[in-house]
Amino acid sequence: MKPTLGPTDHAAKAFEKSADLSVGIARKKSDDASLAARKEADASRIFGTQTQEEISRHERRKADDSIRVERLWSDEALISERSLHRSDERIAANELSAEKLDHAETRNALASELEQTETLCHDLRNPIGAIATCTEMLLTDLRSGSPADDLEKWLTFIKRNADTAVRLAANLLDDRQAGRTSAGAASARHDVDHLMEQAVQNSAGYAAERAVQLRAVPGGDAEFVECDQYQIMRVLSNLIDNAVKFASAGGSVQVTRAADGENAISLAVVDDGPGIAEGDLAGIFDRFTRTEGVKRPGNGLGLHIAKTIVEAHGGVLKVVSTPGVGSVFSFSLPKTGKSI
């Protein structure tokens, strides 16, 4: 049998239900507030994270832009520096080229002056040697009490060779001052036989010293050629002295002439000396060339000088030689009328 509830018990039960309901409502409100706070915190975190990422991205973009600008500046500066460096290199290269050109011109000028000096020294030996030989002969005759009958002839010979030596030196000075070579031809008409005789007279003393017979072989009719007399005398003197130098005692050297076609005269120096080997002929007219196996004084300039002068006259210096028989050096000059 269930106990019977009184009014007091019903009131207690009603109070308990009311308390439980209040607690439930309070809990729900608390749970709702916690949920709202959590949602708000979550939203705040999400918003804060997005904002921070955006800030980071913005800062990265700024940093990238700054790096790009710095790189552009650096590249432009490098390009400018390289361009300036290349410009400096070009300037330096041009200066070096100009300096090399100056040095080359200086070397050429010095070489030209040296060649002119060597030529002068070589050519001076002929007239000075002729003067010395003739003077010694006259002094010998004078001391023996029998002076030469043709004293005027020999004094004229000495004067002519002295004039030649002075002219050689003067021409060198003129050529250097004018910046030209000494091979230029001042042409005029000259008697061929007279040129030959004068050349033989100039070398007569040297030939006598070496006991070599030297003579000019004139042609028939008088012939005239167009040439620079002074320069052609240098050619003949060099060819004659070269032939005498290599001739043996008792040998002979002749200066001859012959027609070379209708418009030219060929002059030749013929000797019966040892001749020239075929292997030595190729460079016979080069500077400082000397025949191998033959010991004679000289510096190898005579034939080169003769070749240069002949070429300045538009001719060619030729040689025909047979070992053991002799040599013939010849060149041609343009023929002119018979009156000077």
Side-chain angles (χ1 to χ4, degrees), residues 170-187:
N171 280 352
L172 177 61
L173 294 176
D174 291 342
D175 291 344
R176 287 187 175 178
Q177 290 172 359
R180 62 179 185 270
T181 63
S182 59
S187 294

Side-chain angles (χ1 to χ4, degrees), residues 317-328:
L317 181 58
K318 304 175 183 178
V319 58
V320 176
S321 186
T322 303
V325 176
S327 303
V328 178

Side-chain angles (χ1 to χ4, degrees), residues 275-314:
I276 304 169
E278 184 177 356
D280 293 328
L281 289 175
I284 194 70
F285 297 116
D286 295 340
R287 295 180 72 225
F288 305 119
T289 297
R290 302 184 64 184
T291 305
E292 293 185 5
V294 180
K295 294 183 179 180
R296 292 289 191 278
N299 52 18
L301 279 174
L303 292 179
H304 174 74
I305 294 170
K307 171 179 177 289
T308 301
I309 295 173
V310 170
E311 289 177 350
H313 283 75

Side-chain angles (χ1 to χ4, degrees), residues 328-340:
V328 178
F329 286 85
S330 63
F331 62 95
S332 294
L333 294 172
K335 186 190 300 186
T336 65
K338 295 186 179 181
S339 59
I340 298 180

Side-chain angles (χ1 to χ4, degrees), residues 47-66:
F47 177 76
T49 301
Q50 291 175 343
T51 303
Q52 186 64 37
E53 289 178 354
E54 289 179 357
I55 292 172
S56 297
R57 284 196 297 271
H58 179 66
E59 290 179 349
R60 283 197 297 272
R61 282 196 298 272
K62 287 177 64 179
D64 291 343
D65 291 342
S66 177

Side-chain angles (χ1 to χ4, degrees), residues 170-249:
N171 280 352
L172 177 61
L173 294 176
D174 291 342
D175 291 344
R176 287 187 175 178
Q177 290 172 359
R180 62 179 185 270
T181 63
S182 59
S187 294
R189 283 177 288 191
H190 297 281
D191 186 313
V192 178
D193 290 340
H194 176 72
L195 293 175
M196 295 164 53
E197 289 289 351
Q198 186 173 335
V200 167
Q201 288 179 16
N202 290 343
S203 299
Y206 182 48
E209 284 182 357
R210 300 190 60 82
V212 173
Q213 298 177 15
L214 173 63
R215 68 189 185 99
V217 182
D221 297 334
E223 294 285 1
F224 294 83
V225 292
E226 185 79 15
C227 69
D228 179 339
Q229 179 182 9
Y230 163 70
Q231 298 290 359
I232 293 303
M233 291 303 299
R234 292 176 66 190
V235 174
L236 289 173
S237 293
N238 277 318
L239 295 180
I240 292 171
D241 287 355
N242 203 57
V244 170
K245 177 171 61 178
F246 287 98
S248 301

